[in-house]
Amino acid sequence: MPLYEPVLCKRIPTPPWGEISDRKLVTYQQYVETGGYKSLDKALQMQPKEVVDIVKAAELRGRGGAGFPAGVKWSFLPPEDGKPRYLAINADESEPGTFKDRMLIDFDPHIVIEGIAICMHACRLDTSYFFLRGEYHHQREVMEHAIREAYDHRIFGPGSKLGKINDRWPQLYLHRGAGAYICGEETGLLEALEGKRGWPRIKPPFPAVAGAFGRPTIINNVETLACVTPIIEHGADWFKSMGVPPPAGSAPGTPASFGPKLYGVSGHVNRPGVYEDELGVKLSDLIEGLCCGIRGGRKFKAAIPGGISMGVLSADEYEAVLDFDVGRKHNCLGLGTAGVIVMDEGTDMVAVARNIARFFAHESCGQCTHCREGTNWMYRMLTRIETGEGTTRDLDLLLELSGSMGMMPGNNICGLSDGANWAIRTIVNKFFDEFETRVTRERGVSLAVVS
């Protein structure tokens, strides 16, 4: 049993502290009996700004992918004007390899609902929308039941213990998505919430100023809001006792990687699943410890650190520290959702790249030309390379294209194409020999296809 004690999985049996087979849904009554909603009561004794300051002092970073400091985001809201202000909870979780939020919804939904209520008090938001992935049918039933329990006990609705906000009783609604990956992007989520096509918006204005229905809106991930509850209970210093500080030599004000983190591990491991540890766990410790090693006794070859858009870590990076700075240290996009996909020595990295490109080509919303066309070009070139029909020119074009499209080069509205090009770029660069053996100098020269 490690010294670290679970925080987010306090009520969810998880190895090595409990058995997965013992998991069950925590009801409102069971949640309260184990200390639930005490953080909300504590927050309601504070001024809203005090709550924001505690979250800011804890340096809680968003757990949905970008890692932006939650307290800083909350502070962007303009002053109240008596009109509606919204909270949108991002439970879309459509990044391949990601399933951590689903576990919280399945077994301990009230830790999220309590975080939602605290955020509404702190930011003076009168209405919340829980935006749930369209394919999460069971989770819809669980969440709807938990929301009804919260209304029955006056967390929301008339007589809410939060009191009236902007002269309205606080409300929490469940809104189901329609299965589009792009709606995981915050402004695409807002468009879908408003009943429109899920097309990301140009920023500025940012959602905190003009979000849902043109009103100030905070958008937070499920796990982020779940972290708010223990922060209020134990304080910012307690939260910062876990995790790792910014790397040495970082500029002043660089956000750290503090607090607990849920890692969703899939792929070629003996025990896939969602595991909790501090931010900054080593990839090797996660695989060999919590996941009981690579299946079949095979060797580690590669891992995607946080959903397929983050790129890949090679065998030389097996000791990589999984914190929010993993990207700059190991030339990938970042930690993302911490959905770790592990690949063993038998994995065909050309096929991996082709499959990733196929996904992004299919899920591009089509609004931006670079993304709509570029993702399809990458998929076609990788298909040719995989079948042995590609040329060295295809490989050169692939790397050129993967470095020139996306929001970072300034060509696209959202980050979907950045995810696509970072994924492809890191795989090709770190496993170049596998691609090189599959191409010829000229079209039409026969090559044996690697199985």
Side-chain angles (χ1 to χ4, degrees), residues 390-394 436 438-445 447:
T391 67
T392 53
R393 178 59 176 157
D394 286 321
E436 194 174 35
R438 303 282 266 275
V439 297
T440 60
R441 293 189 63 84
E442 296 179 4
R443 192 87 63 206
V445 179
L447 270 182

Side-chain angles (χ1 to χ4, degrees), residues 62-303:
R63 268 51 173 167
F68 191 84
V72 174
K73 181 186 284 189
W74 291 7
S75 67
F76 288 160
L77 286 165
E80 294 178 74
D81 58 6
K83 296 179 181 178
R85 290 150 63 97
Y86 301 108
L87 171 64
I89 301 94
N90 190 342
D92 190 71
E93 199 165 47
S94 50
E95 177 76 17
T98 308
F99 45 93
K100 62 182 179 63
D101 294 341
R102 185 177 68 187
M103 185 184 73
L104 292 175
I105 297 168
D106 274 339
F107 302 108
D108 197 7
H110 283 284
I111 193 175
V112 184
I113 291 176
E114 185 173 10
I116 291 169
I118 293 170
C119 178
M120 293 178 73
H121 167 67
C123 299
R124 307 302 294 158
L125 310 172
D126 52 84
T127 304
S128 291
Y129 293 100
F130 195 92
F131 191 97
L132 184 67
R133 180 178 177 178
E135 293 88 346
Y136 279 2
H137 304 295
H138 171 70
Q139 289 72 25
R140 172 189 62 81
E141 296 175 0
V142 172
M143 203 66 204
E144 283 183 341
H145 177 73
I147 291 172
R148 283 196 299 271
E149 287 183 313
Y151 270 88
D152 290 343
H153 292 87
R154 295 189 176 182
I155 306 299
F156 306 105
S160 165
K161 62 170 62 180
L162 276 70
K164 286 189 174 181
I165 300 175
N166 300 318
D167 203 31
R168 298 169 183 83
W169 291 113
Q171 307 289 345
L172 171 60
Y173 301 106
L174 181 70
H175 183 100
R176 298 184 70 191
Y181 170 78
I182 196 61
C183 290
E185 194 277 337
E186 61 178 19
T187 60
L189 181 153
L190 293 177
E191 289 287 293
L193 184 63
E194 294 175 1
K196 303 172 186 174
R197 182 174 181 173
W199 274 13
R201 300 174 181 175
I202 296 174
K203 294 179 283 189
F206 292 93
V209 176
F213 312 105
R215 296 294 302 158
T217 305
I218 292 296
I219 305 170
N220 281 141
N221 169 258
V222 167
E223 186 188 350
T224 308
L225 290 167
C227 285
V228 170
T229 301
I231 287 174
I232 299 302
E233 180 181 0
H234 300 291
D237 290 340
W238 166 85
F239 189 79
K240 292 165 73 172
S241 69
M242 295 172 279
V244 292
S250 297
T254 300
S257 296
F258 291 138
K261 186 73 189 77
L262 297 179
Y263 296 91
V265 188
S266 59
H268 302 152
V269 293
N270 285 314
R271 190 172 65 186
V274 178
Y275 300 99
E276 181 181 338
D277 208 324
E278 301 180 43
L279 271 166
V281 63
K282 285 186 178 181
L283 175 63
S284 57
D285 291 342
L286 183 65
I287 292 173
E288 295 173 10
L290 293 171
C291 298
C292 301
I294 305 291
R295 73 183 186 192
R298 308 189 82 175
K299 293 181 180 178
F300 171 81
K301 181 173 184 178

